[in-house]
Amino acid sequence: MDFELRRAREKLEKEQRERKEKAKLKLQRERKAKQETLRQREAIEATQRQRRLDAAEAESKASQLEEENLLAGRGVNFSRILEAVPYQGIGDKIKLPPSCFTELSEQGAFDKGPLHFSLSLIHQEATMHTESSDKELSRMTHAGVLEFTVEEGFVALPQHCWSNLFPEDAPGSAAVEVRYVWLPKGTYAKLQSVEFGFSDIPNHKAVLETSLRQHATLSQGDTLIVNHGALTYHLRVLELKPSSSISVLETDIEVDIIGPESVDSTNQYILRPLIIGKPEQGMVEEGKYVYYKFSLDDATWKRISSKDASITVTLESQTQDGDTDLYVSRHPLLFPTQHQHMWSSHDLGAKALLLGAEDQNLGPGNYTVAIYGYKGTSKYLVTVNFQDVSTQRLGQHAASSSSSAEVDTLECRNCKRHIPSRTISLHEAYCSRHNIVCQHAGCGVVLRVEESERHVHCEKCSKAFQKEEIEKHMKVFHEPLHCPCGIVLEKDQMVQHQSSDCPLRLITCRFCGDMVQAGTSAADARDRIRGLSEHESVCGSRTAPCDSCGRSVMLKDMDIHQIAVHQKN
């Protein structure tokens, strides 16, 4: 009996312990669930609080950015993300769609002066709804505007903007943010030439000024492209004042130009100094040029113009297997070539150019000597000498007076020379055996019999040469040459073309006085009748006040205005 009661009591106690354990575990689970719920609620509240803070910060940044844009645009807030496409144009003027004109006009941007825009390259994944602070901006430059005619959603960029905004391996198009900005007028610019030779251009700052007329802005870090004839120079913008981006419209800018950082020994467009009377030697490879420069001062030119002196440029090739050619030019032709020069010599072996007062292109100033490697690698010696010709003239007068004393002469039937009559029979007998007359039409030169086989004529121009010279003559004068403007001509026609017809030839503008490319014919028929080039037609369209009446008149119409209105010749 007691045993059964004990077992029942133990069983009851065990059940009670199990119930207590279950209740304890349930209580712990409920406590943990409450704690997890509380943590989740706190996390949600923290996330919502951070989102509210982020939204407030983003709203503050957007408001601040809008205020900055309004400040930068002087009250005009204009920003578009457009697809950039290139177009062939000079300067930094972009083309925008017509809707941009409407938006800018509504905000009064045209009343605030010239339009300037910042161009920022953004990655393709950036969209119109992405915040500006999250955009990946890699490059930036500035530009003016040319017209509002491109298709909606696009912006057309000239070469200057495209090369400064995109890397060399950039795709054909990309997204660009175009933002209206106000830029201060520039007062100072420091530029660095990438290539050697830009500072050798006579009045190179005027050449730069002519190029900058096609620009509205300059940005620090950009590279300017300056064309001078067939040559292209690149100038890096190192420093600008009063800000890192400036306007160059209607302002005077102080410009400092420094040379390149390193010397490029392979660059042939370097003018080495050449002192009159001092020989210079060097090496030139086949198909390459070596350039020198020398100057004629007013005192030297005075003696040359009075025919008391002359200038002789000599070139001696010191390599048996090689041959060179000699070209000389005067400003503005800075780097003469085979078909663009003023004086030349293509003789085999030593060469000499005698320049005197009878040469129309001669005068005081700067000259360039070009040595061209015609065949092989040649070692050469070049010299510019100043020669006194007054003593030579006295000798020539003495010789002419002595020859005039011979009056009793007869013409030789073979060589056609005038021989004294007392020796004419003896001369004709000797002449007929040892001399022969060239039978080529228009030649008639008398040759020794042993030299007649080496005397040949060019099949194209009929000029006479030695047999070993004809190959070089055919290559130099009759091999087609390619002009940078695209035309193909022989040498004589090419010289004429590049001196009077080539759009890349350099001329002195009659309105701005700078050395510029002539360009094609003027678009205006009246300007073509006046003989104005493409550049002069545009440059002459600028207005200036008349000295007599103060009225604004186009420069190209100023002479007509003076005659028609003020009766001045």
Side-chain angles (χ1 to χ4, degrees):
M1 184 77 177
D2 295 337
F3 176 74
E4 291 178 355
L5 290 173
R6 188 170 58 252
R7 289 188 62 183
R9 188 171 57 252
E10 291 176 351
K11 183 177 180 182
L12 180 62
E13 291 176 351
K14 183 179 180 181
E15 290 177 352
Q16 289 177 346
R17 285 195 302 271
E18 288 178 352
R19 284 196 294 270
K20 288 181 179 179
E21 289 291 335
K22 290 181 179 179
K24 186 178 180 181
L25 292 173
K26 181 179 180 181
L27 183 63
Q28 290 178 351
R29 286 197 297 269
E30 290 177 353
R31 189 180 295 114
K32 288 181 178 180
K34 289 181 180 179
Q35 292 176 351
E36 184 65 26
T37 302
L38 182 60
R39 283 196 299 270
Q40 290 178 356
R41 186 181 297 113
E42 291 176 350
I44 292 173
E45 291 177 354
T47 303
Q48 292 176 347
R49 191 183 308 111
Q50 186 63 38
R51 286 179 179 176
R52 288 194 296 271
L53 291 174
D54 291 344
E57 184 180 359
E59 185 178 356
S60 175
K61 287 185 176 180
S63 177
Q64 182 181 357
L65 181 61
E66 185 175 357
E67 292 179 0
E68 291 177 355
N69 290 337
L70 286 173
L71 183 62
R74 295 294 178 94
V76 178
N77 187 9
F78 172 84
S79 177
R80 289 281 188 94
I81 293 183
L82 304 171
E83 184 175 353
V85 293
Y87 82 92
Q88 295 299 322
I90 56 177
D92 65 348
K93 308 293 180 62
I94 62 176
K95 298 179 182 180
L96 293 172
S99 61
C100 296
F101 175 85
T102 303
E103 184 175 349
L104 289 166
S105 179
E106 290 175 351
Q107 298 189 45
F110 294 94
D111 299 330
K112 299 182 182 297
L115 301 182
H116 301 124
F117 300 90
S118 67
L119 307 178
S120 303
L121 174 63
I122 63 177
H123 288 267
Q124 294 289 344
E125 58 267 18
T127 62
M128 291 290 290
H129 305 289
T130 307
E131 296 296 334
S132 297
S133 59
D134 297 329
K135 292 177 183 177
E136 277 188 82
L137 300 178
S138 57
R139 295 195 179 192
M140 176 182 286
T141 187
H142 291 79
V145 62
L146 181 64
E147 56 190 35
F148 297 86
T149 57
V150 297
E151 185 180 350
E152 293 293 336
F154 292 88
V155 55
L157 305 181
Q159 181 186 3
H160 170 81
C161 297
W162 188 271
S163 60
N164 283 298
L165 201 58
F166 294 94
E168 295 182 358
D169 55 349
S173 61
V176 171
E177 182 182 21
V178 182
R179 186 181 299 276
Y180 174 88
V181 294
W182 178 87
L183 295 179
K185 291 187 176 182
T187 58
Y188 173 79
K190 184 178 182 180
L191 310 177
Q192 182 182 39
S193 176
V194 177
E195 300 89 0
F196 272 92
F198 182 73
S199 59
D200 289 324
I201 299 176
N203 203 9
H204 56 278
K205 288 193 176 182
V207 175
L208 175 61
E209 180 183 351
T210 301
S211 178
L212 285 178
R213 285 180 185 155
Q214 308 296 332
H215 289 256
T217 67
L218 274 184
S219 299
Q220 193 166 306
D222 280 1
T223 300
L224 279 173
I225 300 175
V226 179
N227 294 312
H228 185 69
L231 302 177
T232 300
Y233 296 95
H234 299 81
L235 302 176
R236 294 193 185 99
V237 183
L238 301 182
E239 182 183 354
L240 296 172
K241 292 180 182 179
S243 68
S244 59
S245 300
I246 60 173
S247 170
V248 296
L249 296 175
E250 299 179 357
T251 182
D252 292 329
I253 301 178
E254 179 185 354
V255 179
D256 286 338
I257 302 175
I258 62 176
E261 296 177 350
S262 59
V263 177
D264 184 6
S265 59
T266 61
N267 183 12
Q268 63 179 348
Y269 294 106
I270 299 176
L271 294 178
R272 299 169 174 84
L274 192 60
I275 301 174
I276 295 180
K278 181 181 178 182
E280 294 286 342
Q281 63 179 0
M283 301 285 292
V284 59
E285 298 179 4
E286 183 175 343
K288 297 290 185 68
Y289 290 91
V290 176
Y291 292 103
Y292 291 89
K293 62 180 178 180
F294 70 94
S295 300
L296 293 183
D297 54 25
D298 293 334
T300 304
W301 168 243
K302 187 175 181 180
R303 293 200 59 191
I304 295 175
S305 60
S306 61
K307 299 184 179 181
D308 290 336
S310 64
I311 290 291
T312 304
V313 184
T314 59
L315 176 65
E316 298 179 6
S317 179
Q318 299 178 330
T319 306
Q320 292 183 353
D321 298 333
D323 191 22
T324 56
D325 287 336
L326 177 64
Y327 304 96
V328 178
S329 70
R330 187 186 173 197
H331 172 73
L333 185 53
L334 192 61
F335 296 102
T337 61
Q338 284 181 300
H339 48 79
Q340 197 172 17
H341 57 264
M342 294 181 179
W343 301 277
S344 65
S345 176
H346 305 88
D347 299 333
L348 289 175
K351 301 163 183 66
L353 288 175
L354 180 63
L355 309 180
E358 62 277 2
D359 293 298
Q360 296 181 354
N361 294 322
L362 201 65
N366 300 318
Y367 291 79
T368 304
V369 177
I371 300 170
Y372 176 70
Y374 168 73
K375 182 180 180 182
T377 300
S378 302
K379 185 177 181 180
Y380 62 84
L381 185 71
V382 59
T383 311
V384 177
N385 289 317
F386 178 77
Q387 292 186 343
D388 192 341
V389 298
S390 57
T391 56
Q392 298 178 8
R393 191 182 303 125
L394 291 174
Q396 292 172 359
H397 288 321
S400 60
S401 61
S402 62
S403 60
S404 60
E406 299 289 343
V407 292
D408 188 13
T409 59
L410 294 175
E411 184 182 87
C412 174
R413 287 174 292 182
N414 186 48
C415 66
K416 308 302 181 183
R417 290 173 58 191
H418 287 274
I419 307 298
S421 56
R422 63 179 183 274
T423 59
I424 186 65
S425 300
L426 183 63
H427 169 80
E428 287 183 342
Y430 179 86
C431 185
S432 60
R433 291 194 305 270
H434 296 87
N435 297 332
I436 188 172
V437 179
C438 178
Q439 300 300 317
H440 191 278
C443 182
V445 66
V446 180
L447 302 166
R448 304 287 292 180
V449 173
E450 58 271 15
E451 295 177 352
S452 60
E453 295 182 357
R454 297 175 57 238
H455 180 78
V456 294
H457 286 266
C458 174
E459 297 178 355
K460 292 190 173 183
C461 62
S462 299
K463 292 182 179 179
F465 297 95
Q466 296 294 328
K467 198 171 186 178
E468 58 271 14
E469 297 175 341
I470 191 66
E471 180 183 354
K472 182 175 183 179
H473 168 79
M474 294 296 294
K475 183 175 180 62
V476 172
F477 287 89
H478 299 298
E479 191 173 271
L481 299 173
H482 295 263
C483 181
C485 70
I487 197 169
V488 180
L489 297 169
E490 290 187 358
K491 182 179 182 298
D492 290 340
Q493 292 82 8
M494 183 65 75
V495 171
Q496 177 65 26
H497 164 74
Q498 292 198 336
S499 63
S500 59
D501 303 325
C502 181
L504 298 179
R505 73 188 188 278
L506 296 177
I507 63 170
T508 301
C509 176
R510 66 186 74 179
F511 302 113
C512 64
D514 295 340
M515 298 303 305
V516 295
Q517 292 183 3
T520 56
S521 299
D524 190 282
R526 291 175 300 176
D527 291 347
R528 290 198 297 270
I529 295 174
R530 297 176 187 176
L532 301 182
S533 65
E534 181 184 20
H535 167 85
E536 290 175 328
S537 177
V538 176
C539 187
S541 299
R542 295 181 291 121
T543 60
C546 173
D547 294 336
S548 302
C549 63
R551 185 187 304 174
S552 293
V553 183
M554 286 195 295
L555 295 177
K556 59 185 178 183
D557 293 335
M558 189 66 73
D559 53 350
I560 300 176
H561 171 79
Q562 293 289 345
I563 296 173
V565 178
H566 304 292
Q567 287 79 42
K568 293 183 179 180
N569 267 336

